C-alpha cells in the first residue's frame, strides 16, 4: 500500500465506495416492488420493501462510517471494491428471494442471485412456472444489470462521488473506454443497452401475441426474455425455458438478440457511430465465427452419428440453438437438460463444453475465455511459428485489430494465456468436485464448464437437491469466472495482508 496509508484508511476507502455500489443496486428493488403492487402481490411487495430498506441502510452506513478525506483509490482498492461489493450484494439481493418462499434455503436464494449477477442462468428456484411477477421481475433485472455490471450502474448514478471510478470499473473485468471519462462510458453502455431493450422487447412482444399469449403477459415475458438474451444470462419465466414457446420465429429472434448481446460494447458503439467495417475486422468477431463454424460442424457430426434428430430443421432448432447459446454464454435451452446426457452422445456434448469455455467477447455481457484472448493466443502462436522460418536478424511487428490496430507484444499474449489457464484450472476443480459428489465425469465437466463460463446450460446436475458443498463451489466459480480472477485474487491478497499487518501491530 501507499506509504502513510494505514490499513484503516484502506478499509475506509473500500467501504465508502462499496456503500455507493450497494445503494445503486438496492434502488433497483423499486422496480420489482412497483411490479408487485401493480400485480396486487401484497406479500411480495412487503418482501421488497424489507430488501430495499436493508440495502439502503447498509449502503449509507458504509458511506457514513467510512467517510474519509483520503479517498484516493489505488488499483488494489478498485479490485477489492469490485469483488467485495459483488459478494455483499449477492447476500443482500437474496433477501427478497428467500422471503418470497420460492427457495428451500437462503443458500439456494444466494445461489440464484449469484447466477443472475454473473449472467450464468443456473437456477434452484422452486415451481418457477407459478412464481410471482415481482420475483420474476427481480430475477431478470439482476441478470440484466449483472451483464452491464453493478459498478457500471453505480458510476451512472454516482459518477461524481466515485473519484477512482475507472480502477473500480476495471476490477469488474471491463477496460473499454467508449468516451474520455469512465462516467460517460458507463452512461453510454446503459444507453446502448436501453435502446436495444426497447427494440428487442417490442419485437418479442409482437411475436408473443402472435403465438397466442395475452398482451400483458406477452409484454412481461418479452421484457424478461429479452433481458435474459441481451445479458446472455439465460433466465426465463418458465421451467422449460425457450422450449415453452414452441415457436421457430421466437427461437430465431432470441438467437439474434443473444448473439448481438455477446459482442463487445466498444463494437456496438463503433457500429452505432457508422463504423460498420469493425464487424468483420475486429479480432473477436473473426475469432467467434471461426470457432462457431468448427464447433457447429463437430456438433452436427456427433448428432448425425446417433441419428438424434430426423431432419435439418430439427437439427437447427435443437443442435445449433444449444451450441450457439453455449458459445455466447447465454444458456437458453430448447431441449430438456437430461437430453444432453441421454441422447446427444459424448462427441456433441464435448463440442458444447468447448463452446461454453470459449464464450463471447471481452467487455460484453458474455463469459468464458473470450474471443479476444483466443484470437490473441492463436496469433501469438502463429507468430512464433513464423519466426522459425525467418533469419535470426529479422525484426517483425505483429498486429491485430480490436477497435483500433494494436501491437501484439509478449505482455499482451502472456496476459491472455494466463487468464485462459485460470479458467481451465477452475473448470478442472469444478469438474473434480462434481465427480467427488458422485456425478458422472462428462456431466461434471459440462456443469462445471457452464458455471465457470457463466453460461447456464445444464445437463441435469444443478437442482435444489444437489449437495450444499457443490452449491458453494458453483457459487465461487461463477463469481471468479465473471470477475475474471484478478479482482478476486486482489481481495484474497488484501485479506491476508491485512491480517498480517494487524498481527504485526499486536
Amino acid at each position: 500500500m501507499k506509504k502513510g496509508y494505514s490499513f484503516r484508511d484502506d478499509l475506509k476507502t473500500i467501504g465508502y465506495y462499496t456503500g455507493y455500489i450497494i445503494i445503486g443496486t438496492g434502488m433497483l428493488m423499486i422496480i420489482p416492488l412497483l411490479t408487485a403492487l401493480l400485480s396486487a402481490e401484497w406479500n411480495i411487495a412487503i418482501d421488497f420493501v424489507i430488501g430495499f430498506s436493508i440495502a439502503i441502510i447498509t449502503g449509507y452506513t458504509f458511506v457514513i462510517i467510512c467517510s474519509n478525506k483520503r479517498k484516493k483509490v489505488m488499483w488494489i482498492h478498485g479490485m477489492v471494491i469490485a469483488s467485495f461489493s459483488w459478494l455483499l450484494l449477492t447476500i443482500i439481493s437474496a433477501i427478497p428471494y428467500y422471503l418470497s418462499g420460492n427457495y428451500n434455503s437462503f443458500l439456494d436464494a444466494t445461489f440464484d442471485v449469484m447466477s443472475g449477477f454473473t449472467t450464468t442462468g443456473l437456477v434452484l428456484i422452486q415451481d418457477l412456472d407459478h412464481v410471482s411477477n415481482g420475483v420474476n421481475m427481480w430475477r431478470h433485472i439482476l441478470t440484466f444489470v449483472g451483464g452491464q455490471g453493478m459498478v457500471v450502474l453505480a458510476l451512472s448514478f454516482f459518477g461524481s462521488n466515485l473519484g477512482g471510478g475507472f480502477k473500480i470499473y476495471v476490477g469488474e473485468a471491463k477496460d473499454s473506454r467508449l468516451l474520455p471519462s469512465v462516467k460517460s462510458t458507463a452512461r453510454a453502455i446503459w444507453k446502448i443497452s436501453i435502446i436495444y431493450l426497447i427494440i428487442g422487447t417490442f419485437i418479442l412482444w409482437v411475436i408473443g401475441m402472435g403465438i397466442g399469449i395475452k398482451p400483458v403477459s406477452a409484454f412481461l415475458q418479452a421484457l424478461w426474455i429479452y433481458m435474459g438474451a441481451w445479458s446472455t444470462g439465460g433466465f426465463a419465466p418458465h421451467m422449460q425455458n425457450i422450449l415453452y414457446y414452441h415457436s421457430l420465429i421466437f427461437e430465431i429472434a432470441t438467437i439474434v438478440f443473444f448473439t448481438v448481446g455477446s459482442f463487445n460494447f466498444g463494437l456496438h458503439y463503433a457500429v452505432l457511430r457508422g463504423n460498420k467495417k469493425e464487424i468483420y475486422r475486429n479480432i473477436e468477431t473473426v475469432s467467434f465465427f471461426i470457432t462457431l463454424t468448427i464447433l457447429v460442424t463437430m456438433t452436427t457430426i456427433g448428432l448425425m452419428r446417433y441419428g438424434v434428430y430426423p431432419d435439418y430443421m430439427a437439427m437447427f432448432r435443437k443442435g445449433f440453438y444449444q451450441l450457439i447459446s453455449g458459445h455466447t454464454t447465454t444458456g437458453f435451452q430448447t431441449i430438456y437438460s437430461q437430453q444432453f446426457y441421454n441422447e446427444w452422445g459424448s462427441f456433441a456434448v464435448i463440442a458444447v463444453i468447448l463452446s461454453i469455455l470459449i464464450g463471447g467477447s471481452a467487455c460484453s455481457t458474455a463469459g468464458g475465455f473470450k474471443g479476444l484472448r483466443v484470437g490473441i493466443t492463436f496469433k501469438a502462436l502463429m507468430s512464433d511459428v513464423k519466426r522459425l522460418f525467418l533469419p535470426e536478424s529479422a525484426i517483425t511487428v505483429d498486429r491485430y485489430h480490436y477497435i483500433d490496430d494494436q501491437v501484439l507484444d509478449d505482455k499482451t499474449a502472456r496476459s491472455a494465456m494466463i487468464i485462459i489457464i485460470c479458467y481451465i484450472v477452475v473448470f478442472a476443480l469444478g469438474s473434480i468436485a462434481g465427480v467427488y459428489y458422485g456425478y458422472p465425469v462428462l456431466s461434471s465437466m459440462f456443469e462445471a464448464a457452464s458455471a465457470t463460463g457463466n453460461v447456464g446450460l445444464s445437463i441435469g446436475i444443478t437442482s435444489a437437491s444437489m449437495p450444499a458443498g457443490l452449491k458453494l463451489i458453483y457459487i465461487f466459480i461463477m463469481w471468479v469466472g465473471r470477475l475474471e480472477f484478478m479482482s478476486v485474487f486482489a481481495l484474497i491478497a488484501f485479506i491476508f495482508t491485512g491480517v498480517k499487518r494487524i498481527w504485526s501491530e499486536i
Side-chain angles (χ1 to χ4, degrees), residues 170-393:
V170 171
E172 205 173 38
K174 288 183 171 65
D175 59 7
S176 288
R177 271 195 175 181
L178 310 184
L179 294 166
S181 74
V182 68
K183 179 180 177 180
S184 56
T185 294
R187 290 184 173 176
I189 287 174
W190 273 105
K191 285 179 183 177
I192 292 169
S193 297
I194 296 301
I195 289 170
Y196 281 119
L197 176 67
I198 294 169
I199 297 170
T201 300
F202 177 76
I203 292 172
L204 290 176
W205 185 28
V206 172
I207 294 173
M209 289 188 292
I211 60 178
I213 305 175
K214 293 180 180 179
V216 174
S217 181
F219 173 77
L220 287 174
Q221 291 185 51
L223 176 64
W224 295 334
I225 291 292
Y226 185 81
M227 285 180 173
W230 170 255
S231 63
T232 62
F235 277 177
H238 300 284
M239 281 304 297
Q240 290 184 313
N241 208 268
I242 303 302
L243 177 62
Y244 171 86
Y245 299 96
H246 296 285
S247 168
L248 175 61
I249 189 170
F250 201 94
E251 291 163 18
I252 292 173
T254 55
I255 287 175
V256 172
F257 295 146
F258 63 60
T259 301
V260 171
S262 73
F263 291 149
N264 186 297
F265 282 110
L267 176 63
H268 286 291
Y269 189 72
V271 172
L272 290 173
R273 288 174 62 86
N275 184 13
K276 295 181 176 58
K277 291 182 179 179
E278 189 65 31
I279 296 174
Y280 58 83
R281 292 187 63 201
N282 193 290
I283 188 173
E284 286 197 297
T285 54
V286 173
S287 172
F288 175 81
F289 286 110
I290 289 174
T291 54
L292 178 64
T293 301
I294 293 170
L295 294 169
V296 166
T297 303
M298 287 178 62
T299 304
T300 303
I301 291 172
L303 294 176
M304 289 178 66
R305 181 182 178 188
Y306 292 97
V308 179
Y309 300 114
D311 53 52
Y312 288 110
M313 182 54 71
M315 186 80 73
F316 171 80
R317 297 184 66 178
K318 307 299 184 182
F320 177 76
Y321 192 97
Q322 271 43 245
L323 192 283
I324 193 168
S325 178
H327 203 331
T328 57
T329 73
T330 303
F332 280 158
Q333 291 186 215
T334 57
I335 64 174
Y336 295 105
S337 296
Q338 288 295 333
Q339 288 181 269
F340 280 121
Y341 184 78
N342 295 328
E343 298 178 4
W344 273 45
S346 299
F347 192 76
V349 169
I350 288 173
V352 176
I353 291 173
L354 291 173
S355 73
I356 287 170
L357 291 173
I358 293 170
S361 298
C363 297
S364 71
T365 63
F369 299 163
K370 307 293 192 304
L372 174 63
R373 297 191 183 99
V374 173
I376 286 174
T377 301
F378 181 78
K379 284 187 74 71
L381 176 63
M382 291 298 99
S383 176
D384 284 348
V385 171
K386 184 174 67 177
R387 287 194 185 103
L388 295 175
F389 297 92
L390 294 174
E392 293 184 5
S393 59

Side-chain angles (χ1 to χ4, degrees), residues 135-187:
V135 170
N136 248 327
M137 183 65 79
W138 186 227
R139 293 176 67 238
H140 292 86
I141 285 175
L142 289 180
T143 195
F144 187 67
V145 172
Q148 278 62 240
M150 273 72 79
V151 169
V152 172
L153 177 71
L155 287 170
S156 301
F157 283 132
F158 307 113
S160 58
N161 296 75
L162 303 181
F166 184 69
K167 294 171 184 176
I168 310 173
Y169 174 73
V170 171
E172 205 173 38
K174 288 183 171 65
D175 59 7
S176 288
R177 271 195 175 181
L178 310 184
L179 294 166
S181 74
V182 68
K183 179 180 177 180
S184 56
T185 294
R187 290 184 173 176

Side-chain angles (χ1 to χ4, degrees), residues 97 100-116 121-128 131 139 235 239 439 447 456 458 460-475 478:
Y97 269 5
S100 72
N102 294 116
Y103 291 89
N104 292 342
S105 66
F106 191 77
L107 175 61
D108 287 7
T110 303
F111 181 100
D112 271 22
V113 172
M114 183 62 82
S115 181
L122 295 170
V123 296
L124 301 181
I125 193 169
Q126 301 296 295
D127 196 19
L128 178 56
V131 166
R139 293 176 67 238
F235 277 177
M239 281 304 297
Y439 296 100
E447 215 78 357
S458 177
I461 291 179
T462 300
S463 68
S465 61
M466 71 180 181
L470 193 56
K471 292 175 185 176
L472 288 169
I473 290 169
Y474 284 170
I475 288 172
M478 285 189 287

Side-chain angles (χ1 to χ4, degrees), residues 446-458:
F446 189 102
E447 215 78 357
S450 190
T452 306
N454 304 133
V455 178
L457 290 177
S458 177

Side-chain angles (χ1 to χ4, degrees), residues 72-84:
K72 183 178 180 181
V73 177
M74 296 182 288
W75 284 109
I76 184 66
H77 295 145
M79 295 287 181
V80 173
I81 290 165
S83 53
F84 176 64

